[in-house]
Amino acid sequence: MSTKIYVPRDAAALSVGANAVVDAIQREAKARGEAVEIVRNGSRGMFWLEPLVEVETAQGRVGYGPVKARDVASLFDAGALTGGDHALRVGLIEDLDWMKRQQRLTFARIGVIDPFSLADYCAHGGLEGLKKALTLAPAEVVEQVRLSGLRGRGGAGFPAGIKWKTVHDAQADRKYVVCNADEGDSGTFADRMVFEGDPFMLIEGMAIAAYAVGATKGFIYLRSEYPHAANAMESAIHLARQAGWIGKDAFGREKPFDLELRIGAGAYICGEETSLLESLEGKRGLVRAKPPLPAISGLFGKPTLINNVLTLAAVPYILAEGGKAYGDYGMGRSRGTLPIQLAGNVLRGGLIERAFGVTLREIIEDFGGGTASGRPIRAVQVGGPLGAYLSEKELDLPLDYETLAANRALLGHGGVVVFDDSVDMAKMARFAFHFCAKESCGKCTPCRIGAVRGEEMMTKIIAGRDVEANIALVRDLCEVMTDGSLCAHGGLTPMPVLSAIDRFPEDFVPAERKTAAE
């Protein structure tokens, strides 16, 4: 009987030598006459342990990490095939504090199953949501999503049930479902983990969405920087089509739904839904004016449901367990769970799924172990490059849409990036303008010109030139960009800039005064 060994095929694990570890395990097992079966799973999201090797034992999966190819022989010597002790042994995976303290609904299978095994997917609860949906009328499926309180996980936080109902009620000869997988925010990687660790979940979520709103065709728009994720999804779509989960009879005889993967060209702005639609239509990624909303006139002028990966990935659980079961998690109007991506200057970075309401301090200190540098935390950016910088004093804020909005911040896609006390917040404010200028689609003046002028003014402030006057100008400019930009790209750029100025004013003091103050 062979021993089952799990080694992630996730891009994060590959980047630190997972394939070399697999080769070493195969060589060592052959040399010792040991029978092993290697399963390439997704990552558990404990990136400091990658490559994390898990060995299936009678007690459960025992983890070893981070494993290098040179460690493999000593692991065999230590009896790792039966869970033996070794300096890299971390114990039973399910007993680790990092895992036990999470509430994994969307990420329950990721790291557990073989992402390309239909049987493994179904054995762990996969496809139950779609089966349940097909027993309901489309309007009833929409009602379950509304009941769950699910809101768009891409950043806007718009109620998914309202969007789904709008597309459901629209009258047209054709409708579309589009998955926004243009995951471009700094410090985010949850979408990629879904693609590489549980791609059938996204396919199932899109199929449920299509059935609910009456769509016959779906598109997944993926960023070009994710080649492993693209290969994984192509394989999964092929397998799902072979199994009849999608295709011409997906929802019964002559009731089709099929999927197509499209790769973007690398523009950040295509994460904005109307730019994404332009790109899907083969045009340059430019923001469209709204109205009309995509739900009424979207892709090729047809009613289109656009949701983020994490929004659609939450749907199979909602249908399988019921909207109320999902909505029982969370707080206030922020219902369900949030996959939080912890990155930056942090000791233990990775993916944490918890119900809304968990505090930043729990995430950064309890899960993350503080900064990697060992220096004090000074700033935390939540919600990607257009999110606010929060100070250490605000770490006890609960993570939910309303609390962050009340504190002039946003949740975005759930990215949390940590900075220690060596960060220069004036330079971070300048970076926000620089990023906006580089990634602007150029359609509206406040964004196209404002970001360039903002970077120039921040450079003068950093150089100590007319600081007070230039800060006043930056504030005026931010007001124009907030109120006058066509989309959130220009409209939200002021958020990191103003949060840096307001929360860390000492970093904007001219150098000579700063020195005197010290």
Side-chain angles (χ1 to χ4, degrees):
M1 183 176 176
S2 62
T3 302
K4 192 174 283 188
I5 300 175
Y6 294 81
V7 183
R9 51 168 297 137
D10 178 278
L14 296 179
S15 70
V16 289
N19 283 346
V21 171
V22 169
D23 292 343
I25 292 173
Q26 290 173 330
R27 285 196 304 272
E28 201 65 33
K30 184 177 181 181
R32 297 175 186 241
E34 298 279 4
V36 298
E37 177 190 355
I38 297 177
V39 178
R40 303 304 301 271
N41 56 332
S43 173
R44 298 272 193 168
M46 298 182 284
F47 290 146
W48 74 97
L49 291 177
E50 295 294 357
L52 174 64
V53 174
E54 296 178 41
V55 180
E56 193 169 83
T57 71
Q59 291 72 42
R61 290 195 200 173
V62 176
Y64 299 87
V67 175
K68 302 293 184 187
R70 62 176 179 271
D71 300 321
V72 170
S74 67
L75 285 170
F76 274 76
D77 290 341
L81 295 189
T82 54
D85 198 18
H86 188 278
L88 298 179
R89 189 181 192 275
V90 296
L92 291 170
I93 295 298
E94 297 301 331
D95 286 347
L96 297 180
D97 192 53
W98 175 278
M99 296 301 296
K100 286 171 65 176
R101 296 185 61 186
Q102 296 194 42
Q103 295 158 305
R104 289 197 166 195
L105 306 182
T106 302
F107 280 70
R109 280 182 298 266
I110 294 181
V112 176
I113 63 169
D114 176 349
F116 301 119
S117 168
L118 298 169
D120 217 3
Y121 181 71
C122 292
H124 289 80
L127 220 56
E128 293 302 317
L130 180 58
K131 288 178 182 174
K132 178 68 179 297
L134 295 179
T135 67
L136 303 174
E140 293 174 313
V141 176
V142 173
E143 177 57 19
Q144 286 300 312
V145 174
R146 188 202 64 77
L147 189 64
S148 73
L150 178 68
R151 294 166 68 172
R153 297 287 190 258
F158 189 79
I162 294 176
K163 186 182 281 189
W164 284 40
K165 187 174 189 309
T166 303
V167 182
H168 170 273
D169 292 348
Q171 300 299 312
D173 59 346
R174 189 159 202 186
K175 300 178 185 178
Y176 296 101
V177 171
V178 173
C179 173
N180 183 349
D182 196 45
E183 185 178 52
D185 283 357
S186 48
T188 58
F189 40 79
D191 293 359
R192 180 186 60 71
M193 287 182 66
V194 169
F195 273 61
E196 297 176 5
D198 196 2
F200 295 134
M201 173 172 61
L202 179 60
I203 293 172
E204 183 182 352
M206 291 190 69
I208 293 169
Y211 173 74
V213 303
T216 55
K217 178 82 176 182
F219 291 94
I220 301 173
Y221 188 91
L222 178 66
R223 67 193 305 241
S224 60
E225 294 88 343
Y226 281 174
H228 295 100
N231 291 337
M233 185 52 70
E234 285 284 17
S235 297
I237 290 173
H238 176 69
L239 290 169
R241 191 177 289 124
Q242 278 189 325
W245 295 2
I246 56 176
K248 65 182 180 67
D249 299 318
F251 303 145
R253 186 173 176 79
E254 302 297 326
K255 295 180 178 177
F257 173 66
D258 211 344
L259 272 176
E260 190 174 324
L261 178 68
R262 293 284 184 88
I263 306 298
Y268 178 81
I269 196 62
C270 287
E272 195 280 334
E273 61 181 13
T274 62
S275 293
L276 187 155
L277 293 177
E278 289 285 296
S279 182
L280 268 182
E281 292 179 1
K283 305 169 190 170
R284 178 182 167 189
L286 287 175
V287 174
R288 294 178 183 174
K290 290 188 282 190
L293 298 171
I296 303 297
S297 178
L299 187 63
F300 303 117
K302 302 296 183 182
T304 302
L305 177 67
I306 305 181
N307 276 141
N308 175 265
V309 171
L310 297 180
T311 313
L312 292 163
V315 169
Y317 177 91
I318 290 169
L319 265 294
E321 303 297 329
K324 183 179 181 306
Y326 187 81
D328 283 344
Y329 292 89
M331 60 179 287
R333 292 171 53 210
S334 301
R335 311 309 309 178
T337 60
L338 175 69
I340 300 158
Q341 298 125 89
L342 182 60
N345 191 339
V346 66
L347 189 62
R348 298 190 295 267
L351 189 289
I352 304 146
E353 184 176 355
R354 283 284 300 265
F356 285 96
V358 64
T359 68
L360 276 170
R361 193 177 301 283
E362 288 177 83
I363 294 298
I364 296 169
E365 296 185 352
D366 296 351
F367 282 95
T371 62
S373 64
R375 298 172 67 92
I377 297 168
R378 183 159 188 247
V380 180
Q381 189 174 33
V382 180
L386 305 182
Y389 290 101
L390 301 174
S391 71
E392 194 277 338
K393 296 176 182 175
E394 297 168 293
L395 294 188
D396 292 315
L397 288 176
L399 285 174
D400 72 278
Y401 293 109
E402 284 67 38
T403 299
L404 289 180
N407 286 274
R408 295 167 294 150
L410 56 82
L411 197 51
H413 190 45
V416 174
V417 179
V418 181
F419 299 84
D420 71 13
D421 62 353
S422 64
V423 66
D424 184 330
M425 297 308 297
K427 291 182 178 176
M428 299 311 295
R430 181 172 63 182
F431 171 75
F433 279 129
H434 175 79
F435 178 82
C436 180
K438 188 174 191 310
E439 298 294 345
S440 174
C441 76
K443 186 163 184 174
C444 71
T445 304
C447 178
R448 184 182 68 249
I449 303 298
V452 175
R453 296 292 174 257
E455 184 178 6
E456 291 171 355
M457 284 186 272
M458 284 307 310
T459 297
K460 292 177 182 175
I461 292 168
I462 291 169
R465 293 169 53 193
D466 300 323
V467 172
E468 291 184 6
N470 276 305
I471 286 180
L473 276 175
V474 166
R475 289 188 184 278
D476 286 346
L477 174 64
C478 285
E479 184 177 348
V480 171
M481 291 180 71
T482 300
D483 295 340
S485 296
L486 197 53
C487 78
H489 183 69
L492 287 178
T493 293
M495 183 171 281
V497 173
L498 294 177
S499 66
I501 293 173
D502 293 337
R503 290 180 166 97
F504 307 93
E506 63 275 17
D507 283 20
F508 296 82
V509 175
E512 58 273 23
R513 283 199 285 152
K514 194 174 180 180
T515 303
E518 291 170 350

